[in-house]
Amino acid sequence: MRRLVWTLVVLFFMFGCKPKAPEGIIDRETMEQILYDVHLVDGYLSTIYLQDSARKVGAAYYSGIYKKYNTDSVQYTKSLNYYNSNPDQLQEIYKAISKKLENQKVSLKKVDSLMVRKAFVKDSVKITKAFKADSVAIRKKMKPDSASKASAENQIKKKKAKADSVLNSKRNFSGALQLAPAAVQ
């Protein structure tokens, strides 16, 4: 019996101590999602140079956010004021938002690097094909004498050096590409 009482007391404190939002205030988890979306919109709006355009676009986005979370600007403002007056809760909300934004940043960097890598591979294939076509054309024009062969080989070496230089500059520009294709052969 004593064990049951202690279990009930512990459960009461575990579930009873979690702060709940008062009536009419958006709950913490939903407020976190709303603020996350609001900050994404704010970031986008900061890229729009014309203030009138930004206000028009922003009004539509904010309206969409309120609709998404089944709330309105009045309840949002009232809830924001509540969380501002409870800094511990607001700090927890912003810790979670910061973590989400950091995760999104990491994901975007991965996507960006994949796009750069794809472009690099595509460009390197073009450069390699152009080099091979040029070297074949030089060899076709080559005469059987040794001076012509030496001149052709010299032209091919120059073309190869140029192709390698372009590939290396693209590789350096695109960052650390671990699986970059080898230089043209």
Side-chain angles (χ1 to χ4, degrees), residues 37-62:
D37 287 352
V38 164
H39 288 303
L40 288 179
V41 169
D42 288 346
Y44 170 67
L45 294 177
S46 71
T47 66
I48 300 175
Y49 295 110
L50 301 173
Q51 289 296 321
D52 288 343
S53 297
R55 269 190 230 113
K56 288 177 186 175
V57 170
Y61 277 118
Y62 295 131

Side-chain angles (χ1 to χ4, degrees), residues 94-106:
Y94 274 105
K95 279 182 185 177
I97 290 171
S98 293
K99 187 174 180 177
K100 283 182 186 179
L101 289 172
E102 188 60 36
N103 289 341
Q104 185 177 25
K105 184 179 174 182
V106 168

Side-chain angles (χ1 to χ4, degrees), residues 39-87:
H39 288 303
L40 288 179
V41 169
D42 288 346
Y44 170 67
L45 294 177
S46 71
T47 66
I48 300 175
Y49 295 110
L50 301 173
Q51 289 296 321
D52 288 343
S53 297
R55 269 190 230 113
K56 288 177 186 175
V57 170
Y61 277 118
Y62 295 131
S63 177
I65 291 170
Y66 299 144
K67 186 175 181 179
K68 178 180 176 180
Y69 295 103
N70 200 24
T71 190
D72 58 26
S73 62
V74 173
Q75 186 181 23
Y76 168 75
T77 303
K78 183 178 177 184
S79 298
L80 190 56
N81 289 336
Y82 167 77
Y83 287 107
N84 278 329
S85 65
N86 293 286

